Amino acid sequence: MLQEIELIPAIDIIDGKCVRLTKGDYDKKTVYNEDPVSQAKEFESLGFKRLHVVDLDGAKSKHIVNDNILHAITETTNLVVDFGGGIKTEEDIKKAFDAGASMVTIGSIAVTNPELFLSWLDRFGSDRLILGADVRNGKVSINGWKEDSQEDLLPFLKRYIDRGVKNVLCTEISKDGTLAGPAIDLYKRIMAEYPQLHLIASGGVSSTEDILALRQENIPAVVFGKAYYEGKIDVCRLSSVSTDKMPVFNGVAKRIIPCLDVKNGETVKGTNFINLRSAGDPVELGKAYSDAGADELVFLDITASFEERKTFTEMVERVAREINIPFTVGGGINELTDVERLLHAGADKVSINSAALRRPELINDITNHFGSQVCVCAIDARLDDDGWHCYVKGGRERTNRGLFEWAREVADRGAGEILFTSMNHDGCKEGFANEALARLSDELPIPIIASGGAGCMEHFKDVFVKGKADAALAASVFHFGEIKIPDLKQYLQNEGIHVRTI
């Protein structure tokens, strides 16, 4: 019988930034996010429960370096964090636990000083220590993968499993960061020897299919990083696979996202992008949604592009002070300085629409400078007599770009997510554009946020099941109290759809 596989995203830290190495080479690093804390918040918003944090500076320096970042992550999220890198003394372990780590991964000391590792195992317990086994050419590697020991992997594991080790993080170094696929045969050999072991596979995951293959072999857990950052893992697909209404993947949830369309400092809502009416103060609404269990928020200055003005930085700063969930800001973003200003003000992501259609290279610029997870590409499209077409300037102007053609280019240029709004459905409360959403989800490797058409709780179920969306965004049904977020989440859970609860 197939069991759940625990999904554990990874954050590797060098110089205070979220990076990935290739085959453990410090000279071959890619920065994916300047702020590991915002990255951790994004993972939590997606529904992940656990996070693997590696202090690569610490591994190289042989002592913990980035415990301040660990503390910031554990202070601002509810993630269960296991922490590794630079753990050489009992003081290092205590420092990691004091910074909020739930578990600590220890590798090199288990090779170089077995008695010391066993004393820690006795002192801290097997539930709080993870044995790190970094493997290259069948031998266990140490000191940030800089040196290979003479320890063969299986005898090394046996020594400690016999003494009570329950959790092993095994990384095949030759695979790590290469997107070449995990070392499934290696993990199968380990599990054949130790079927009760909680083995965490690490290295080489390149796609959703790799995770499916690991689950097929009943590997208990998998760590992944680069494949997620480069948009090769379909979070929506992982969360939609279920058996008897129970998810077969542990840790991924559909997202509920209230959208606040802002005009002149007020939240507004209309029908088919017109006939706007006031719905209240955006900051107060945002705080209320955060408290009610919303997974994320989106603030769109819906007339910024049309009137050629900037999204109000002051409002973003106020929102950041009041809420504790990730939020995206869009409207009037035309260049990198706009993105930098909004991120500095406290936004977690930015949404671009008109500017991206006008200059598609902006998507590449944002993702190269700030990481793909920062860039949400909004697509407002309408089904006209001649097919789906993209619109700009708040839905006022039709372009010559087709929805599906443009969406593919957006994904190819590295955007982290697509926020698709059907103008035909917007504000009509008759359900989402599920057929178009399902096609987008099937054809693209990045998450799709559905927008336009929510009128009742059944519509949210349909958009996740029929539309295959990763997240559902709505406005008026939340603003005017027609649907309460806690009630919606309870309904979705009862329908077998995995959502994050408060």
Side-chain angles (χ1 to χ4, degrees):
M1 177 180 174
L2 293 180
Q3 304 295 321
E4 282 190 353
I5 182 169
E6 185 177 21
L7 303 178
I8 310 173
I11 291 178
D12 295 354
I13 303 171
I14 292 180
D15 297 330
K17 301 174 182 178
C18 177
V19 308
R20 294 300 287 176
L21 306 181
T22 299
K23 296 183 180 181
D25 189 340
Y26 281 71
D27 294 326
K28 296 179 180 178
K29 70 173 185 283
T30 303
V31 177
Y32 287 102
N33 195 329
E34 299 279 341
D35 182 6
V37 178
S38 70
Q39 184 61 62
K41 290 168 67 177
E42 176 180 326
F43 285 134
E44 183 178 39
S45 74
L46 289 170
F48 293 104
K49 305 300 182 186
R50 183 167 167 182
L51 179 66
H52 178 62
V53 176
V54 181
D55 183 354
L56 289 174
D57 293 315
K60 193 172 184 179
S61 303
K62 300 184 181 181
H63 62 85
I64 289 181
V65 173
N66 290 300
D67 55 305
N68 60 321
I69 295 177
L70 169 64
H71 183 261
I73 290 172
T74 58
E75 278 286 295
T76 56
T77 74
N78 293 312
L79 293 165
V80 174
V81 180
D82 62 76
F83 180 83
I87 307 292
K88 303 297 182 184
T89 66
E90 187 169 313
E91 287 67 32
D92 288 326
I93 298 175
K94 292 177 180 177
K95 184 182 288 188
F97 287 147
D98 287 344
S102 298
M103 291 169 281
V104 168
T105 301
I106 298 170
S108 299
I109 289 297
V111 176
T112 61
N113 195 337
E115 292 304 316
L116 180 59
F117 175 72
L118 288 171
S119 72
W120 293 345
L121 194 64
D122 290 338
R123 177 174 176 79
F124 296 103
S126 59
D127 291 328
R128 301 201 72 188
L129 297 188
I130 301 171
L131 176 62
D134 302 327
V135 186
R136 182 163 40 208
N137 299 321
K139 302 290 186 181
V140 180
S141 183
I142 59 175
N143 294 330
W145 303 351
K146 294 295 184 182
E147 305 172 42
D148 291 334
S149 72
Q150 297 304 307
E151 290 272 8
D152 292 317
L153 176 62
L154 288 178
F156 171 75
L157 295 180
K158 184 177 188 306
R159 177 194 313 160
Y160 293 117
I161 292 171
D162 288 347
R163 296 292 296 270
V165 162
K166 299 177 182 177
N167 303 284
V168 170
L169 172 67
C170 184
T171 302
E172 171 51 71
I173 297 171
S174 67
K175 297 275 190 178
D176 193 74
T178 65
L179 300 178
I184 293 180
D185 288 341
L186 172 64
Y187 305 134
K188 285 170 62 177
R189 289 200 303 274
I190 295 172
M191 292 306 298
E193 290 284 334
Y194 308 106
Q196 303 306 313
L197 182 68
H198 189 75
L199 175 66
I200 306 167
S202 173
V205 171
S206 67
S207 64
T208 307
E209 284 66 29
D210 285 340
I211 295 176
L212 289 167
L214 288 165
R215 176 184 173 261
Q216 191 66 33
E217 299 299 335
N218 275 328
I219 306 303
V222 57
V223 164
F224 53 87
K226 187 174 183 178
Y228 171 83
Y229 297 125
E230 300 200 352
K232 299 180 183 299
I233 290 179
D234 185 347
V235 177
C236 176
R237 183 180 173 195
L238 291 179
S239 62
S240 65
V241 180
S242 62
T243 302
D244 296 330
K245 292 193 174 183
M246 292 298 292
V248 295
F249 295 99
N250 180 1
V252 181
K254 301 291 189 180
R255 288 173 286 156
I256 303 298
I257 306 177
C259 179
L260 297 93
D261 294 340
V262 180
K263 180 181 181 181
N264 299 326
E266 284 192 332
T267 307
V268 296
K269 189 61 189 129
T271 302
N272 303 123
F273 281 36
I274 58 175
N275 300 325
L276 303 177
R277 59 175 171 148
S278 176
D281 178 72
V283 180
E284 292 180 3
L285 275 175
K287 186 176 188 306
Y289 288 138
S290 176
D291 293 342
D295 298 299
E296 296 184 27
L297 296 173
V298 171
F299 293 86
L300 298 178
D301 190 335
I302 60 172
T303 56
S305 295
F306 180 61
E307 298 176 3
E308 297 183 354
R309 47 187 181 77
K310 305 293 186 182
T311 303
F312 293 122
T313 305
E314 180 182 342
M315 188 203 74
V316 176
E317 292 173 341
R318 289 175 58 211
V319 171
R321 288 195 297 268
E322 293 293 334
I323 71 171
N324 58 5
I325 59 175
F327 70 97
T328 300
V329 176
I333 296 170
N334 297 296
E335 52 195 31
L336 288 181
T337 54
D338 295 326
V339 178
E340 185 174 14
R341 171 171 50 84
L342 292 167
L343 295 179
H344 181 72
D348 297 281
K349 310 175 194 179
V350 296
S351 173
I352 55 174
N353 186 345
S354 301
L357 279 158
R358 185 168 57 249
R359 187 172 71 86
E361 296 80 11
L362 179 61
I363 300 172
N364 304 77
D365 293 342
I366 293 173
T367 59
N368 289 337
H369 281 80
F370 303 105
S372 61
Q373 75 289 338
V374 165
C375 184
V376 178
C377 193
I379 301 178
D380 298 334
R382 188 169 72 190
L383 181 58
D384 295 328
D385 292 339
D386 55 347
W388 284 97
H389 286 271
C390 299
Y391 281 71
V392 295
K393 296 184 178 180
R396 295 172 177 82
E397 182 179 304
R398 172 170 155 159
T399 73
N400 63 356
R401 301 302 297 267
L403 166 62
F404 302 103
E405 161 218 345
W406 172 235
R408 282 191 292 273
E409 181 173 341
V410 164
D412 290 343
R413 288 183 178 276
E417 294 180 288
I418 287 175
L419 168 56
F420 164 52
T421 299
S422 167
M423 294 175 60
N424 307 77
H425 296 74
D426 183 71
C428 296
K429 300 184 181 181
E430 296 178 356
F432 294 87
N434 291 322
E435 184 175 344
L437 284 162
R439 179 175 170 184
L440 289 170
S441 295
D442 287 339
E443 292 184 0
L444 302 179
I446 60 177
I448 306 298
I449 304 171
S451 171
C456 63
M457 288 192 275
E458 287 79 5
H459 292 156
F460 287 88
K461 173 188 174 183
D462 288 344
V463 79
F464 292 136
V465 176
K466 297 177 182 178
K468 304 180 182 180
D470 176 73
L473 179 146
S476 60
V477 292
F478 295 142
H479 299 341
F480 302 115
E482 297 165 44
I483 296 177
K484 305 291 187 185
I485 290 177
D487 295 341
L488 174 60
K489 288 196 166 186
Q490 185 61 58
Y491 165 79
L492 292 172
Q493 282 190 314
N494 293 342
E495 292 297 319
I497 296 170
H498 184 32
V499 294
R500 184 178 67 89
T501 56
I502 302 175

